[in-house]
């Protein structure tokens, strides 16, 4: 048993920066990303030996778990939440350094699956086959989601910047 925990600890130490980047891209801010990573790693850490035996690539399994957890949380939170009284003041939100970056805003506007494909492909540098395995979809789905996401990003960025003086890409 101690060897299993050591392996899990080493795995987390080695892959934590990449998981946090992936979580940040999924959630849109570093605080929710850290919560997402922690939640998923807590669940997986308790059954680490099973995960190793069940999957050949635990990192892909964790990324898939993160995407599923994020989508589940998003579905739960988008429901209307009725309260008896109106709150007195808006809660203070920490300033996100990427808040006013056009590319980041456009990326944040993509649907969760398209955002995950773009982040895994261009930010993490994974191949289409690795992304398909990580997200549990077919390579064709990865290609179509990437194509749709790039088209949406291109449209959004061209609209925001204006296309005067340059050709449309």
């Amino acid at each position: 048993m101690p060897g299993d925990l050591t392996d899990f600890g080493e795995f987390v130490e080695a892959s934590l920066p990449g998981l946090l980047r992936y979580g940040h891209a999924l959630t849109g801010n570093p605080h929710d990303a850290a919560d997402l990573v922690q939640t998923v790693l807590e669940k997986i850490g308790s059954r680490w030996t099973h995960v190793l035996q069940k999957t050949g690539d635990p990192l892909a399994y964790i990324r898939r778990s993160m995407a599923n957890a994020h989508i589940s949380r998003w579905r739960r939170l988008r429901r209307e939440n009725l309260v008896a009284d109106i709150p007195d003041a808006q809660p203070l939100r920490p300033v996100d350094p990427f808040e006013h970056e056009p590319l980041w805003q456009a990326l944040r506007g993509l649907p969760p699956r398209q955002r995950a494909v773009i982040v895994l492909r261009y930010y993490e540098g994974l191949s289409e086959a690795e992304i398909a395995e990580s997200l549990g979809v077919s390579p064709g789905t990865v290609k179509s989601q990437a194509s749709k996401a790039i088209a949406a990003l291109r449209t959004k960025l061209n609209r925001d910047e204006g296309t005067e003086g340059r050709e449309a890409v």
Side-chain angles (χ1 to χ4, degrees):
M1 185 74 172
D4 296 338
L5 290 176
T6 304
D7 291 339
F8 180 67
E10 291 171 359
F11 172 81
V12 169
E13 187 176 329
S15 58
L16 187 61
L19 292 175
L20 287 172
R21 284 192 307 267
Y22 178 59
H24 189 180
L26 281 176
T27 62
N29 76 54
H31 305 294
D32 289 340
D35 290 343
L36 177 65
V37 170
Q38 180 178 349
T39 302
V40 169
L41 288 177
E42 281 178 3
K43 290 178 182 177
I44 290 177
S46 63
R47 45 193 184 92
W48 179 245
T49 54
H50 176 69
V51 169
L52 284 178
Q53 292 169 356
K54 181 180 174 188
T55 66
D57 186 6
L59 187 58
Y61 184 84
I62 290 174
R63 283 188 182 127
R64 170 83 187 237
S65 298
M66 286 174 62
N68 290 343
H70 175 63
I71 290 169
S72 295
R73 182 173 181 256
W74 176 77
R75 284 180 179 152
R76 276 194 314 269
L77 294 179
R78 76 176 176 160
R79 291 191 181 131
E80 197 171 31
N81 191 11
L82 301 177
V83 294
D85 297 324
I86 298 173
D88 291 337
Q90 295 289 334
L92 293 178
R93 206 179 97 206
V95 177
D96 184 3
F98 298 111
E99 185 174 356
H100 300 292
E101 292 291 326
L103 180 60
W104 188 250
Q105 289 176 347
L107 185 65
R108 195 179 302 160
L110 292 176
R113 184 179 284 176
Q114 289 180 11
R115 187 180 328 154
V117 167
I118 292 296
V119 169
L120 289 174
R121 179 71 179 116
Y122 297 103
Y123 197 69
E124 292 293 324
L126 298 181
S127 69
E128 290 171 350
E130 291 171 325
I131 296 169
E133 183 180 335
S134 180
L135 296 178
V137 297
S138 71
T141 300
V142 171
K143 290 178 186 179
S144 69
Q145 292 294 307
S147 176
K148 289 176 185 176
I150 289 172
L153 289 173
R154 185 177 290 135
T155 301
K156 173 77 171 140
L157 292 174
N158 283 341
R159 184 178 54 221
D160 289 350
E161 292 176 5
T163 55
E164 302 93 26
R166 59 177 231 184
E167 287 185 31
V169 179

